[in-house]
């Protein structure tokens, strides 16, 4: 049916309300639907959207199901795909209802754009099939045509005059259901070949054929086409990466023998004397040519030793280099990531961007089904322990990604990540060697190893020790993305609020693209090279031996024996276990809701809300106090009325919350340093109507060890004797065992996540999610109060605003990201 191809947005409000009521439940509702539609990347729900949906329950008239349907409508989700997804979760009632509604009416003949001479006759036609009693409403722009000719399938405009020019649309109605036709444009011309005065809008040109996205191999011919109807005749100008191409101004673009430089977005500008319109964007992906399979044997040719096909000679290689009919699809047995952002250094320059960089990259990776451990401000021991836990998540065929943002350096080809407690004159002894971590990852037989290092790579004059990591295997699965070149510095934007560093500012536009990871990073490098603020100062460097076309977006295909997968799920869940939401009853009759949300794996937000209070109490609030030692709580920003004021990156729409039921938010950091159970006090302050003095009631709450605190990252890990030694004390011996054994025992059924993706739920309102990959929900917003503003460095290491001429950026200043 044609109507099944239309958007969810064509459903009227009554149908949407009925569907919303069916979806507002926990067993077979909006959460399960959100998980089902995520099979299509276009409709994959981000953490922000899931959070906003869940927060609808805090509003008296809120509906999570209605919010999800609106989100799908905004992304032009078809009714056919919605029905498919509802069937996938076995919501038979919703499937039956929606099917009955969409089968009522469908448009069989759409109105077409036309032009006619003044005084002539013009007819617009819209016909629909469906049950008896269909009615038609015609609209010119936003104004309904109320005469008799506007209530039939044919709209007759006679005699045609300038007043009739405009855009027309027809609405076909049957009871409470309706469907809109396409827009049709009507133009008047004074006489044959003479057009009337144009109104200067882009509606004067109509593109009838859009350029199409495609994938080609190196050496192929790229062909794009864009056609338009226009009077006067249209002219065409093609653009690649927003740069005009020196090609003939025709409707077709032909590039013979393409290379990787030809990949990227293409658009066509169509224009004539009066109008200008732009085509849709066509994304062109260019892959390498492929040699067909052959049996190989090594042939000794002295210093020019080569490998040639045993069955074929060298003269056959060119014929064999034709691209295959279809690219091989690669899968990951699992995908895990460790993200570390260090900002608050004890003896070095304070940084600003890592918190936003880690937060934003976490959201993108979760959308691609990565299990993400995100940590902020780790010392030496905590970084080593975190890497140990990360290695436990790896196994054969797993995609492993490590991202670090903070101070760093590079000596003799080895990269070093600097903890926040590193001394002023640190050496490799005080840091983590990335190459040592890579050696350990290879022993896990991972399918892909990606390192994204957002740090400086300047030489460290205090360190003259040459670290010798273990020998690397030839695995052809390693990708290094350095935010800057060798012996160069990385920068972040200096602003009063929290903003991304340069690298993540460009990476976040590309990271979810379904391309080989090296191709994706190449495009990031190209984007950085076109930006005036980075040109000549910071350039992305890519090192890789990746031979397969593996993408970060590759799907997870778990092998039949999934015991290791279950173990990884449990290991990952231990570090993301939030306390349950709870309701506390006070002696005065006040009922307080206590909830939790995860901003990072070691940062948690606690909120309190007054659910019930006696009429004789005129005001009350539930504030948190008496926090345990080890954790970091900014008392000036605790018990705030908004997340923004509390310094949190979690983004919710405060307007969704009922103003009659305010909340107080407190942000708890450094949970990795919590040595005992997390215990705090809820102090209830209230005033009776016949009293002036404030009354206080207190309750102590114990919530166990939340999030990453269960892993005891502050504790040293035992060394492993078989790990290769290094000439430097920086070499850290990563064990195969960790504190997870104890942590598993501490996860009880009362507060652990359900590990079945079809039933995984969490009781707290903020940060809940239908699947393991979204177990903690970090969100992002812009705030000027998150962290203390960085102190500017010397002028030679900052970029003044006078040098910024990139219109897409409003950087007020930029300074050295990770150097002394």
């Amino acid at each position: 049916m044609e109507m099944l191809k239309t958007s969810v947005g064509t459903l009227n409000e009554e149908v949407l309300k009925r569907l919303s009521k069916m979806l507002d439940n926990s067993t077979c509702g909006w959460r399960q639907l959100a998980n089902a539609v995520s099979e299509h990347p276009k409709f994959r729900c981000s953490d922000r959207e899931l959070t906003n949906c869940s927060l609808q329950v805090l509003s008296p008239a809120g509906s999570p199901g209605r919010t999800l349907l609106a989100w799908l409508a905004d992304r032009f989700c078809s009714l056919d795909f919605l029905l498919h997804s509802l069937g996938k979760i076995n919501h038979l009632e919703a499937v039956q209802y929606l099917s009955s509604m969409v089968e009522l009416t469908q448009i069989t003949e759409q109105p077409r754009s036309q032009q006619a001479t003044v005084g002539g006759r013009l007819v617009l036609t819209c016909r629909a099939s469906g049950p008896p009693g269909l009615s038609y409403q015609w609209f010119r722009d936003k104004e309904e045509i109320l005469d008799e000719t506007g209530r039939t399938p044919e709209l007759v405009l006679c005699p045609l005059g300038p007043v009739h020019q405009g855009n027309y649309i027809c609405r076909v109605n049957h009871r409470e259901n309706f469907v809109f036709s396409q827009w049709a444009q009507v133009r008047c011309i004074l006489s044959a070949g003479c057009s009337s005065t144009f109104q200067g809008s882009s509606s004067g040109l109509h593109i009838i054929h859009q350029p199409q996205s495609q994938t080609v191999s190196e050496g192929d011919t790229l062909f794009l086409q864009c056609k338009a109807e226009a009077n006067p005749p249209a002219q065409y100008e093609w653009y690649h990466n927003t740069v005009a191409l020196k090609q003939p101004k025709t409707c077709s673009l032909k590039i013979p023998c393409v290379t990787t430089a030809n990949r990227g977005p293409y658009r066509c500008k169509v224009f004539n004397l009066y109008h200008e319109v732009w085509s849709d964007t066509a994304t062109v992906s260019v892959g390498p040519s492929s040699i067909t399979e052959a049996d190989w044997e090594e042939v000794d040719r002295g210093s020019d030793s080569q490998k040639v096909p045993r069955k074929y000679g060298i003269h056959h290689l060119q014929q064999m280099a034709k691209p295959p009919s279809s690219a091989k699809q690669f899968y990951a047995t699992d995908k895990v990531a460790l993200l570390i952002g260090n900002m608050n250094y004890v003896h070095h320059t304070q940084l600003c961007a890592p918190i936003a960089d880690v937060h934003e990259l976490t959201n993108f990776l979760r959308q691609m089904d990565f299990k993400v451990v995100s940590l902020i401000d780790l010392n030496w021991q905590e970084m080593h322990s975190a890497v140990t836990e990360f290695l436990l998540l790896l196994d054969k065929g797993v995609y492993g990604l490590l991202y670090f943002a903070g101070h760093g350096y590079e000596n003799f080809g080895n990269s070093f990540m600097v903890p926040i407690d590193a001394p002023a004159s640190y050496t490799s002894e005080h840091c983590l060697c990335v190459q040592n971590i890579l050696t350990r990852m290879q022993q896990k037989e991972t399918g892909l190893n990606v390192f994204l290092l957002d740090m400086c790579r300047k030489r460290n004059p205090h360190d003259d020790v040459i670290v010798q990591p273990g020998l690397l295997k030839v695995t052809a699965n390693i990708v290094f993305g350095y935010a800057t070149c060798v012996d160069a510095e990385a920068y972040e934007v200096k602003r009063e609020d929290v903003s991304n560093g340069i690298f993540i500012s460009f990476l976040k536009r590309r990271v979810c693209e379904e391309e080989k990871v090296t191709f994706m990073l190449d495009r990031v490098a190209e984007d950085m090279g076109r930006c005036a603020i980075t040109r000549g100062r910071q350039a992305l460097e890519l090192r890789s031996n990746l031979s397969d076309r593996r993408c970060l977006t590759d799907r997870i295909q778990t092998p039949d024996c999934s015991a290791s997968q279950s173990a990884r799920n449990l290991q990952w869940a231990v570090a993301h276990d939030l306390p349950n939401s709870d309701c506390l009853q006070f002696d005065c009759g006040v009922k307080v809701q206590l909830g939790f949300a995860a901003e990072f794996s070691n940062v948690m937000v606690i909120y309190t809300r007054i659910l019930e209070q006696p009429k004789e109490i005129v005001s009350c609030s539930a504030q948190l106090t008496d926090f345990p030692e080890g954790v970091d709580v900014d008392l000036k920003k605790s018990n705030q009325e908004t997340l923004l004021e509390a310094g949190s990156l979690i983004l919710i729409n405060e307007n969704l919350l009922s103003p009659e039921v305010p909340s107080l938010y407190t942000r708890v950091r450094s949970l990795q340093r919590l040595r005992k159970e997390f215990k705090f006090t809820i102090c209830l302050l209230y005033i009776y109507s016949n009293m002036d003095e404030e009354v206080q009631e207190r309750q102590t709450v114990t919530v166990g060890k939340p999030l990453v605190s269960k892993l005891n990252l502050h504790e040293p890990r035992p060394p492993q004797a078989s790990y290769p030694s290094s000439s430097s004390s920086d070499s850290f011996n990563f064990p195969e065992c960790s504190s997870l054994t104890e942590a598993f025992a501490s996860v009880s059924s009362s507060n652990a996540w359900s590990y079945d993706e079809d039933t995984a739920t969490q009781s707290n309102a903020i940060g809940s999610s239908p699947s393991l990959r979204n177990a903690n929900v970090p969100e992002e917003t812009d705030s000027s109060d998150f962290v203390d503003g960085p102190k500017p460095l010397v002028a030679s290491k900052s970029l003044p605003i006078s040098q910024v001429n990139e219109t897409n950026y409003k950087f007020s200043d930029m300074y050295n990201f990770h150097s002394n």
Side-chain angles (χ1 to χ4, degrees), residues 533-604:
I533 197 173
T534 58
R535 193 178 301 120
R537 298 181 177 92
Q538 181 175 339
L540 175 66
E541 181 177 326
L542 176 64
R543 293 183 183 179
S544 171
N545 65 9
L546 182 63
S547 59
D548 296 330
R549 292 181 61 83
R550 295 191 181 270
C551 313
L552 296 180
T553 55
D554 288 343
R555 294 188 178 275
I556 296 175
Q557 183 170 293
T558 306
D560 294 337
C561 181
S562 58
S564 59
Q565 169 81 3
S566 300
R568 282 192 300 274
N569 285 343
L570 181 57
Q571 290 170 356
W572 181 82
V574 163
H576 296 83
D577 180 39
L578 278 169
N580 280 341
S581 177
D582 197 6
C583 291
L584 305 177
Q585 189 70 46
F586 285 80
D587 294 339
C588 62
V590 173
K591 188 176 183 179
V592 176
Q593 181 185 11
L594 179 66
F596 307 85
E599 185 176 324
F600 297 97
S601 300
N602 64 337
V603 179
M604 179 174 65

Side-chain angles (χ1 to χ4, degrees), residues 138 144-148 150-151:
W138 286 92
E144 183 180 3
I145 300 174
L146 298 176
D147 55 35
E148 294 182 359
R151 297 292 183 178

Side-chain angles (χ1 to χ4, degrees), residues 114-136:
Q114 302 179 52
Q115 62 182 22
T117 57
V118 174
R121 184 174 183 270
L122 187 148
V123 179
L124 294 174
T125 303
C126 175
R127 300 190 184 278
S129 63
L134 294 181
S135 63
Y136 297 82

Side-chain angles (χ1 to χ4, degrees), residues 470-490:
L471 295 177
L472 294 179
K473 301 178 182 179
V474 182
T475 53
N477 64 356
I478 302 171
V479 178
F480 274 93
Y482 294 95
T484 190
C485 299
V486 177
D487 202 30
E489 298 161 346

Side-chain angles (χ1 to χ4, degrees), residues 250-270:
T250 62
C251 63
S252 300
L253 174 66
K254 184 177 181 180
I255 302 177
C257 195
V258 298
T259 66
T260 55
N262 299 120
R263 66 172 174 245
Y266 287 80
R267 294 187 74 189
C268 184
K269 182 173 74 172
V270 187

Side-chain angles (χ1 to χ4, degrees), residues 184-244:
Q185 183 189 28
V186 172
R187 292 171 50 202
C188 297
I189 54 177
L190 300 178
S191 60
C194 181
S195 175
S196 64
T197 303
F198 284 85
Q199 302 301 316
S201 70
S202 62
S203 60
L205 284 178
H206 177 59
I207 296 179
I208 60 175
H209 181 79
Q210 298 282 359
Q212 301 297 313
S213 298
Q214 54 188 282
T215 299
V216 295
S217 296
E218 291 182 271
D220 288 354
T221 297
L222 173 63
F223 184 79
L224 297 172
Q225 191 174 45
C226 177
K227 290 184 178 180
E229 292 180 345
N231 186 13
Q235 301 181 57
Y236 302 85
E237 186 172 19
W238 289 90
Y239 286 76
H240 176 219
N241 286 324
T242 70
V243 178

